[in-house]
């Protein structure tokens, strides 16, 4: 992701002494995203990704690292964290926590077809079910509590109309959280950030093959429906307007439901959860845009994109969840 922490070739060589990953070959920064410093790391044993964590603390990281390890052992295509000689999967680099994981094959698809959407939806459902017996618990750190804390810091930057939209949307989510339907929603470890650039595809555009899900560092315990909503709000829309493309959203939802059918409560709260997913990323993008942290290659996202999506989920048509698996 954005390079906040500089890591030299010699730094990588020293770090590799703690692993059985072969000899250092090359290191290259990845200039995308805004949360961590990521590097492609090549050794004599293969291709890896080195992450230096800029925001998350050492005590928060075991959830993410062990969740990836848990899923990888259950054949879900995710990066496999590498284990050090001392049995740990976390290191320290320049005083910050760091990890090395396997580099998955493929690249992200910026213009997914219904086939890409179906493969991703199916894989997400498998990931949810595979994580049911994961023993660690950590809430979604960018969930409702964070929205309540962060909304007041970004509201001064908004014109009155948008400030009203922000508050009314937050009020709706606070009310939903108290309902019996919401409390009954299936939940567990969720990716919570499964945008199209966090999914890799191998194969060809006409015949894609799942390469894997990456960037689990926003994962947490949340409703699985929220995970679905985050995904379709990115994968299945006309980008300029935020309007759903019916063939894409139906492909995603049908493929997911064939693995894990949606419950009656999920059907009832679906429109509000779609707005929750839009609100979460509108708030975070407002924060990153107006209150950025310094970085060598920082590219904050345009917050108006999720403002449009939230507005569309408020006034536009909502595709129904499939009723049959």
């Amino acid at each position: 992701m954005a390079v906040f922490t500089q890591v030299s070739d010699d730094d990588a060589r020293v770090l590799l002494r703690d692993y059985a990953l072969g000899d250092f070959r090359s290191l290259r920064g990845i200039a995308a995203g805004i949360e961590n410093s990521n590097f492609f790391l090549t050794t004599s044993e293969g291709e890896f990704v080195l992450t230096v964590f800029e925001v998350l603390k050492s005590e928060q990281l075991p959830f993410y690292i062990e969740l990836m390890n848990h899923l990888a052992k259950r054949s879900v295509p995710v990066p496999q964290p590498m284990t050090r000689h001392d049995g740990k999967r976390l290191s320290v680099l320049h005083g910050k926590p760091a990890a090395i994981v396997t580099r998955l094959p493929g690249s992200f698809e910026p213009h997914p077809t219904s086939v890409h959407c179906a493969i991703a939806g199916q894989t997400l459902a498998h990931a949810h079910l595979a994580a049911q017996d994961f023993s660690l618990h950590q809430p979604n750190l960018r969930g409702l509590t964070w929205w309540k804390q962060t909304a007041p810091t970004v509201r001064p930057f908004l014109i009155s109309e948008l400030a009203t939209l922000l508050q009314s949307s937050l009020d709706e989510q606070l009310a939903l959280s108290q309902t019996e339907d919401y409390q009954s929603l299936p939940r567990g470890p969720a990716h919570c950030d499964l945008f199209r650039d966090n999914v890799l595809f191998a194969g060809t555009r006409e015949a894609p093959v799942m390469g894997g899900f990456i960037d689990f560092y926003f994962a947490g315990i949340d409703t699985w429906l929220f995970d679905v909503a985050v995904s379709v709000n990115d994968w299945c829309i006309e980008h300029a307007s935020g309007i759903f493309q019916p063939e894409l959203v139906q492909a995603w939802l049908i493929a997911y439901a064939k693995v894990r059918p949606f419950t009656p409560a999920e059907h009832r709260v679906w429109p509000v959860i779609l707005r929750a997913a839009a609100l979460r990323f509108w708030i975070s993008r407002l924060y990153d845009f107006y209150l950025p942290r310094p970085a060598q290659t920082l590219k904050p996202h345009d917050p108006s994109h999720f403002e449009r999506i939230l507005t569309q989920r408020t006034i536009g048509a909502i595709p129904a969840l499939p009723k049959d698996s």
Side-chain angles (χ1 to χ4, degrees):
M1 300 302 169
V3 177
F4 298 87
T5 298
Q6 292 298 301
V7 178
S8 68
D9 290 356
D10 285 342
D11 291 334
R13 289 189 179 94
V14 172
L15 181 65
L16 284 171
R17 295 173 186 169
D18 295 326
Y19 296 84
L21 299 178
D23 299 323
F24 175 84
R25 291 289 183 264
S26 66
L27 184 74
R28 177 165 60 90
I30 306 172
I34 57 174
E35 283 295 324
N36 303 312
S37 297
N38 279 302
F39 305 83
F40 289 131
L41 171 64
T42 303
T43 77
S44 57
E45 295 296 319
E47 302 283 336
F48 304 91
V49 173
L50 165 64
T51 297
V52 180
F53 299 97
E54 305 290 348
V55 177
L56 294 169
K57 308 301 182 185
S58 296
E59 59 270 20
Q60 297 167 332
L61 283 165
F63 178 87
Y64 310 106
I65 298 299
E66 296 308 321
L67 176 60
M68 287 190 288
N69 193 57
H70 179 95
L71 293 173
K73 287 183 175 180
R74 284 156 177 77
S75 301
V76 178
V78 301
Q80 173 77 55
M82 296 293 96
T83 304
R84 294 159 40 103
H85 295 308
D86 61 7
K88 299 178 181 178
R89 283 185 270 271
L90 279 172
S91 294
V92 176
L93 194 57
H94 292 299
K96 299 176 182 178
I100 298 175
V101 302
T102 53
R103 183 176 176 180
L104 299 178
S107 59
F108 92 92
E109 175 51 61
H111 305 290
T113 67
S114 58
V115 176
H116 294 96
C117 289
I119 295 172
Q122 179 186 57
T123 306
L124 182 61
H126 282 300
H128 287 163
L129 296 178
Q132 286 183 105
D133 61 343
F134 184 57
S135 61
L136 299 184
H137 186 282
Q138 181 167 283
N140 176 4
L141 299 180
R142 290 292 180 95
L144 184 58
T145 298
W146 186 83
W147 308 347
K148 290 191 295 182
Q149 294 170 346
T150 308
T153 70
V154 300
R155 190 179 294 114
F157 298 101
L158 302 178
I159 62 174
S160 59
E161 180 183 352
L162 295 183
T164 298
L165 175 63
L166 178 64
Q167 189 59 53
S168 63
S169 299
L170 184 58
D171 289 344
E172 179 184 44
Q173 298 306 322
L174 290 168
L176 174 68
S177 70
Q178 302 303 311
T179 65
E180 184 177 341
D181 271 346
Y182 182 81
Q183 298 298 328
S184 71
L185 295 178
R187 67 191 66 215
H191 188 283
C192 298
D193 191 33
L194 199 68
F195 283 39
R196 64 190 75 179
D197 58 355
N198 282 333
V199 178
L200 305 180
F201 289 97
T204 65
R205 177 170 172 79
E206 295 72 24
V209 176
M210 175 56 67
F213 291 175
I214 62 173
D215 198 359
F216 274 76
Y217 303 116
F218 284 112
I221 305 298
D222 208 321
T223 69
W224 289 337
L225 193 64
F226 178 79
D227 222 7
V228 174
V230 167
S231 302
V232 300
N233 270 345
D234 179 68
W235 285 74
C236 307
I237 63 168
E238 178 186 275
H239 189 272
S241 66
I243 295 173
F244 277 127
Q245 296 189 50
E247 70 280 5
L248 298 185
V249 70
Q250 288 305 314
W252 180 290
L253 296 175
I254 289 170
Y256 181 97
K258 286 181 178 178
V259 178
R260 189 192 73 82
F262 295 106
T263 68
E266 287 178 312
H267 281 269
R268 289 190 291 269
V269 303
W270 173 232
V272 188
I273 295 295
L274 281 169
R275 291 193 286 275
L279 177 64
R280 176 264 188 261
F281 286 95
W282 187 33
I283 292 175
S284 64
R285 289 190 177 190
L286 285 168
Y287 185 84
D288 292 335
F289 189 84
Y290 289 111
L291 300 164
R293 290 175 293 116
Q296 180 189 8
T297 54
L298 182 60
K299 297 179 181 179
H301 295 291
D302 178 9
S304 66
H305 175 67
F306 272 99
E307 172 206 323
R308 290 191 296 272
I309 292 177
L310 178 57
T311 299
Q312 279 297 327
R313 301 302 170 265
T314 303
I315 66 174
I318 299 295
L321 294 177
K323 290 188 177 180
D324 299 316
S325 60

